[in-house]
Amino acid sequence: MTLTVRSHRESVGLTDGLLYIDGKWRASRDEETWSHYHPATGEQIGEFAVAGGSDVDDAVQAARTAFDEGPWPGMRAGQRIQILHRSAELLREHADQLRGLQAMDNGVPLSFAAVYATSVGAAADVFDHHAGWVDKLGGQTLPAYQGGEHLAMTFREPVGVVAAILPWNAPFLLFAQKLAPALAAGCTVVVKPSEYATFSVLRMVELLVEAGVPGGAVNVVTGPGKPTGEALITHPGVDKVSFTGSRAVGKRIVEASADTLKRVSLELGGKSPTIVFPDAPDVGMAGMTTMGTVTMGVSGQACVAHTRALVHRDVYDQFLASAQMMADAITYGDPFDAAVLASPLINERQLDRVLGYIETGQREGARLVTGGDRPDGDLSSGHFVRPTIFADVDNGMSIAREEIFGPVLSVVPFTDEDEAIRLANDTEYGLGAGVYTSDARRAFKVSRKLRAGTIGVNGFQVEPHVPFGGFKQSGIGREGGRSAFEAYTELKTVLLPLTDEIM
Ligand code: NAD
């Protein structure tokens, strides 16, 4: 029987999507729409409005007016806190529906959407976490350094109108990581979901509105990178762009921000290494976990996936055997089937790209241990690729250097600690890394030497209050925690004379 998911439209409450601008849902001015085709089945799932330049302009103007005149930035801290906590509650109450909508968007199975890091629950926790910062948005009072008696006072003020641009692979968490701190700081927002994960984001915007976020303080423009994203990043009324997505688009955003010197936060890609030492507490578990990050849920289409395993020669075969066991255990197919663990690739372009890297890996001389091909039968109309492991990879090969964004693990052997650190840091990226060892001193020493934003020792997890982001070409800035919240503020100094004569 051919796989179908379209029949779930009604049960998950999926209706065709509109723009939300200045407190009203409406079509785009030129009535352009985008048809969404499901990555597992190829079925047309629904349509949503494509915001053109004039729609984006309306949304930015609405956010500008709401920032300059509206109630949100000036609202008392207590009321803003209540609205953010209520947003978290509503997200939790609608978790099942949101998971269903996400499955219709990007084919991520319901089973994986229950795993904490990418769950609706984690997104709700991010709202609760940032609600806690609202009444702590304070500054300093500094004494006179020279001259007459005076005080210097610092204030943290909201940065202004924020353009929040999302990728498709983790819409719950990334929506929250951007909107919660921006709204907590008193900013107003125009959010642009990925064209491959729009319906779940539209529902989250509805829930924020239901929670009491006023019209104009949150707006949503839907559509692809061009025209919608481009119109947003080049708009002079936007004060800050907060972006998660590919390195190529991140670079374009930096370029486009130069004109009006917009503030920019970028969460980009990775080629994160995991280092497995011979004294790892459980080499088998290291192999399963590493391959799990490369296959479970989004089939390796995750910035944090540890796609480059650096494994000591003494435990190399053991690691490969357990990684292969995980690869063989992965099930894929209908995202609504509780037994399905992994998604298809998001679109045909990504499918071709991943198959292209698999060919390149073989041409460059790596050893294909498992996978490398597509399942047939019922799954042939989806963009599925079987979990793939390459062994005997040289760190100079393309499959060790480039972000493949698919279920492909490259395993590189090493002999000693110095070599492992050198190989790990020999990359243009720096998002995450893993270290497997039983030696606490080694864990600490190696972690300090790795040039990456988050190092997991004997495991890895994402939490709402912990900074997350990249060194090098993996990004600029951090999400999560106080530093993320402060990145949605400007620091202002007021010099207050206490006598007639100050300087
Ligand atoms: P993408 O860069 O193709 O798209 C991301 C968003 O940017 C989408 O909303 C898209 O419509 C928009 N966009 C595309 N072109 C644009 C333009 N010219 N101007 C403005 N907006 C534009 O990325 P993707 O395929 O959705 O996501 C995959 C990438 O995201 C991977 O590289 C992955 O590593 C990265 N990612 C990073 C993190 C992180 O936290 N570091 C998290 C998730 C994904």
Side-chain angles (χ1 to χ4, degrees), residues 433-451:
V435 181
Y436 285 88
T437 178
S438 303
D439 178 343
R441 268 187 49 198
R442 167 181 268 167
F444 189 67
K445 181 179 151 204
V446 174
S447 300
R448 292 301 308 274
K449 287 198 166 177
L450 292 175
R451 304 271 304 151

Side-chain angles (χ1 to χ4, degrees), residues 236-359:
V238 169
D239 297 299
K240 171 172 173 128
V241 179
S242 176
F243 170 77
T244 299
S246 62
R247 183 171 64 167
V249 176
K251 288 183 179 181
R252 168 70 196 124
I253 288 172
V254 170
E255 200 177 69
S257 67
D259 198 29
T260 53
L261 286 177
K262 293 178 179 41
R263 278 59 180 140
V264 172
S265 300
L266 303 175
E267 295 288 342
L268 308 177
K271 191 73 193 177
S272 300
T274 201
I275 307 177
V276 184
F277 289 102
D279 62 356
D282 184 342
V283 174
M285 189 50 76
M288 301 276 282
T289 308
T290 305
M291 194 58 193
T293 72
V294 179
T295 50
M296 292 267 264
V298 285
S299 280
Q301 300 165 101
C303 58
V304 289
H306 287 172
T307 52
R308 199 164 51 106
L310 310 176
V311 185
H312 194 277
R313 289 180 191 279
D314 288 355
V315 291
Y316 195 73
D317 290 341
Q318 194 188 345
F319 177 91
L320 279 178
S322 57
Q324 181 163 357
M325 211 185 297
M326 175 55 100
D328 293 344
I330 293 295
T331 46
Y332 30 92
D334 180 352
F336 290 89
D337 177 343
V340 164
L341 298 175
S343 74
L345 300 178
I346 193 66
N347 54 33
E348 210 160 314
R349 186 165 52 101
Q350 192 54 25
L351 175 67
D352 291 345
R353 186 180 144 89
V354 171
L355 293 173
Y357 273 114
I358 291 172
E359 247 182 73

Side-chain angles (χ1 to χ4, degrees), residues 165-169 174 192-195 224-225 229-230 233 243-246 249 252 267-269 303 403 405 431 468:
I165 303 182
L166 309 180
W168 61 267
N169 59 352
L174 297 171
K192 191 201 97 57
S194 164
E195 59 275 34
E230 272 288 323
I233 63 173
F243 170 77
T244 299
S246 62
V249 176
R252 168 70 196 124
E267 295 288 342
L268 308 177
C303 58
E403 185 184 44
F405 224 51
L431 190 60
F468 178 81

Side-chain angles (χ1 to χ4, degrees), residues 40-287:
T41 67
E43 294 164 287
Q44 203 261 25
I45 294 301
E47 288 193 343
F48 52 83
V50 170
S54 50
D55 301 302
V56 169
D57 189 46
D58 291 344
V60 175
Q61 294 303 342
R64 185 84 261 156
T65 306
F67 185 74
D68 294 338
E69 300 165 22
W72 188 253
M75 191 180 275
R76 291 285 166 262
Q79 198 181 347
R80 217 186 295 150
I81 290 169
Q82 271 179 12
I83 292 173
L84 292 174
H85 282 313
R86 180 72 188 129
S87 301
E89 265 170 34
L90 286 173
L91 287 171
R92 286 191 191 97
E93 282 168 22
H94 293 84
D96 286 345
Q97 183 195 17
L98 287 166
R99 285 195 300 159
L101 285 168
Q102 176 182 240
M104 296 294 264
D105 273 332
N106 57 15
V108 169
L110 297 186
S111 62
F112 187 71
V115 171
Y116 183 71
T118 53
S119 67
V120 176
D125 288 352
V126 171
F127 272 90
D128 279 338
H129 169 75
H130 284 291
W133 285 118
V134 175
D135 57 356
K136 296 160 195 78
L137 189 65
Q140 290 179 297
T141 309
L142 302 165
Y145 193 89
Q146 50 98 52
E149 192 58 17
H150 66 277
L151 289 176
M153 285 184 286
T154 66
F155 295 83
R156 286 219 167 255
E157 299 194 350
V159 75
V161 173
V162 172
I165 303 182
L166 309 180
W168 61 267
N169 59 352
F172 306 145
L173 185 69
L174 297 171
F175 175 85
Q177 294 278 42
K178 296 186 183 332
L179 272 82
L183 292 171
C187 298
T188 59
V189 183
V190 180
V191 57
K192 191 201 97 57
S194 164
E195 59 275 34
Y196 299 105
T198 289
F199 296 109
S200 48
V201 173
L202 289 175
R203 185 69 183 118
M204 287 190 286
V205 170
E206 270 180 357
L207 295 174
L208 259 52
V209 172
E210 191 182 328
V213 178
V218 64
N219 305 272
V220 61
V221 291
T222 53
K226 285 185 189 144
T228 314
E230 272 288 323
L232 198 51
I233 63 173
T234 50
H235 198 293
V238 169
D239 297 299
K240 171 172 173 128
V241 179
S242 176
F243 170 77
T244 299
S246 62
R247 183 171 64 167
V249 176
K251 288 183 179 181
R252 168 70 196 124
I253 288 172
V254 170
E255 200 177 69
S257 67
D259 198 29
T260 53
L261 286 177
K262 293 178 179 41
R263 278 59 180 140
V264 172
S265 300
L266 303 175
E267 295 288 342
L268 308 177
K271 191 73 193 177
S272 300
T274 201
I275 307 177
V276 184
F277 289 102
D279 62 356
D282 184 342
V283 174
M285 189 50 76

